[in-house]
């Protein structure tokens, strides 16, 4: 995929040997959550997770390291590992386990490690399944593993802890749709932070800065996606509380970046296409939340995956668009 990188950490000759190279691959791994194979971006992303809470930072580090190490152990192509493509799902899996099961339990640490290792296997399977259609794996490994965990966890007393975030199951929207300027500002950054399940505005700001460091255009499309998500949710009357927390807009950020800066050649047409996709994913976010609510699943990044999958599949029908 074509990308204009603005700035990255210099990679001295010593970093081409292990374990120094592994450190760069881990940094790129977490950065690939937002499509950036950029070590400097990874520094910002780890800083953002640690700003949200030191335990979340450690979980993110554990997941990225475990996913990358598992790929090495399984003999995955070194080019994929070097680009960080084997670490980002492990990162998201580990952070999700911490958020939904509570970060302070030994069982959560063990499950996070196991889930990150399994993500390497699921990623390998999906790479092969999607290859005939030239489709990336997106965050499918994360969504599959995290969905199984959130639905199954209440059936296992040793890992189910009362009072964890998982007990707050998704429910139908309720509340006033009125947004004030403070709420809009919070939502703008929270939309970026919620990609990592973090609602704090300052965490989202750090993530966004990391994207801008890696790629100016990608940063601008992330901003576009956040704005489209807010406007779409507000126009349809979504409760302000959900909008402000970033729960309706984070998928729009990912879709906008995927279609406007990563998987399609950049230009005015792809940017407009990305804006439409971002709006569609905001609507789909509410639909997926309602779908999972009866049996305790969570929305995660399913709306981003489904929207981007269909929008990319449609590209050959539109001569003004081209896969990068």
């Amino acid at each position: 995929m074509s990308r204009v990188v603005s700035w990255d950490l210099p990679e001295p000759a010593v970093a081409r040997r292990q374990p120094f190279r592994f450190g760069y691959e881990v940094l790129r791994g977490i950065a690939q959550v937002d499509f950036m194979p950029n070590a400097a971006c990874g520094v910002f992303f780890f800083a953002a997770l640690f700003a949200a809470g030191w335990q979340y930072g450690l979980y993110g580090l554990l997941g990225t390291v475990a996913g990358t190490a598992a790929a090495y152990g399984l003999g995955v192509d070194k080019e994929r590992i070097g680009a960080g493509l084997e670490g980002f799902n492990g990162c998201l899996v580990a952070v999700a386990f911490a958020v939904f099961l509570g970060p302070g339990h030994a069982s959560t640490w063990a499950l996070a490690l196991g889930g990150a290792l399994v993500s390497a296997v699921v990623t390998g399977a999906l790479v092969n399944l999607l290859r005939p259609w030239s489709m990336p794996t997106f965050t499918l490994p994360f969504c599959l593993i995290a969905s199984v965990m959130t639905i199954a966890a209440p059936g296992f007393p040793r890992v189910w802890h009362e009072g964890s975030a998982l007990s707050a199951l998704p429910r139908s929207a309720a509340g006033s749709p009125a947004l004030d300027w403070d709420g809009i500002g919070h939502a703008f950054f929270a939309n970026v932070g919620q990609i990592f399940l973090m609602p704090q505005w300052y965490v989202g700001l750090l993530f966004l800065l990391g994207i801008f460091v890696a790629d100016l255009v990608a940063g601008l499309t992330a901003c576009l996606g956040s704005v489209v998500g807010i406007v779409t949710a507000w126009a349809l009357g979504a409760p302000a509380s959900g909008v402000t927390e970033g729960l309706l807009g984070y998928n729009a950020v990912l879709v906008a970046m995927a279609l406007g800066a990563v998987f399609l050649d950049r230009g005015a047409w792809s940017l407009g296409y990305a804006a439409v996709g971002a709006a569609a994913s905001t609507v789909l976010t509410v639909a997926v939340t309602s779908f999972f609510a009866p049996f305790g699943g969570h929305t995660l990044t399913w709306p981003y995956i489904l929207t981007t999958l269909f929008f990319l599949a449609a590209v050959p029908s539109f001569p003004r668009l081209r896969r990068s």
Side-chain angles (χ1 to χ4, degrees):
M1 63 192 71
S2 60
R3 180 180 294 112
V4 178
V5 176
S6 298
W7 186 79
D8 197 359
L9 292 177
E11 187 170 337
V14 69
R16 299 180 190 133
R17 301 194 301 270
Q18 299 288 17
F20 299 97
R21 183 175 66 194
F22 187 78
Y24 277 80
E25 290 161 350
V26 167
L27 289 173
R28 294 185 187 118
I30 189 174
Q32 279 283 10
V33 172
D34 285 338
F35 315 106
M36 302 290 106
N38 185 290
C41 178
V43 171
F44 276 86
F45 280 19
F46 274 121
L49 283 180
F50 276 101
W54 64 269
Q55 289 173 307
Y56 296 123
L58 289 181
Y59 273 97
L61 180 61
L62 170 69
T64 313
V65 168
T68 306
Y72 264 111
L74 293 169
V76 174
D77 179 68
K78 295 295 192 301
E79 185 175 345
R80 280 187 57 84
I81 298 175
L85 293 172
E86 295 295 324
F88 70 97
N89 278 292
C91 174
L92 287 174
V93 166
V95 172
F97 278 40
V99 169
F100 294 131
L101 296 179
H105 306 285
S107 60
T108 305
W109 287 103
L111 286 171
L113 175 59
L117 292 173
V118 170
S119 72
V121 178
V122 178
T123 297
L126 289 170
V127 166
N128 291 322
L129 288 172
L130 295 171
R131 184 177 290 122
W133 295 276
S134 299
M135 289 290 180
T137 61
F138 306 108
T139 51
L140 258 173
F142 154 62
C143 281
L144 289 170
I145 295 170
S147 292
V148 169
M149 180 273 295
T150 57
I151 295 169
F156 298 100
R158 294 187 188 278
V159 302
W160 171 253
H161 306 287
E162 293 297 332
S164 69
L166 184 56
S167 62
L169 300 178
R171 56 179 61 88
S172 298
S176 170
L179 275 172
D180 57 23
W181 286 109
D182 286 342
I184 293 172
H186 192 287
F188 179 80
F189 294 112
N191 285 341
V192 184
Q194 282 285 7
I195 295 170
F196 284 83
L197 306 170
M198 299 293 125
Q200 303 93 331
W201 70 267
Y202 53 89
V203 173
L205 173 59
L206 285 171
F207 283 128
L208 187 59
L209 288 175
I211 297 170
F212 269 105
V213 163
D215 190 327
L216 175 62
V217 174
L220 292 174
T221 56
C223 293
L224 171 67
S226 186
V227 170
V228 170
I230 293 170
V231 171
T232 303
W234 172 81
L236 295 175
S241 58
V243 177
T244 300
E245 291 176 12
L247 295 174
L248 279 77
Y250 67 97
N251 284 290
V253 173
L254 285 171
V255 170
M257 293 179 67
L259 299 177
V262 178
F263 297 120
L264 300 180
D265 284 350
R266 296 174 177 182
W269 283 101
S270 61
L271 201 61
Y273 198 61
V276 174
S281 72
T282 304
V283 178
L284 188 57
T285 295
V286 178
V288 172
T289 300
S290 299
F291 173 79
F292 278 125
F295 46 92
H298 283 255
T299 312
L300 306 174
T301 54
W302 284 112
Y304 146 65
I305 294 169
L306 294 172
T307 303
T308 306
L309 182 66
F310 278 94
F311 271 64
L312 287 180
V315 166
S317 298
F318 308 131
R320 295 188 185 278
L321 300 171
R322 180 181 298 178
R323 290 284 297 272
S324 57

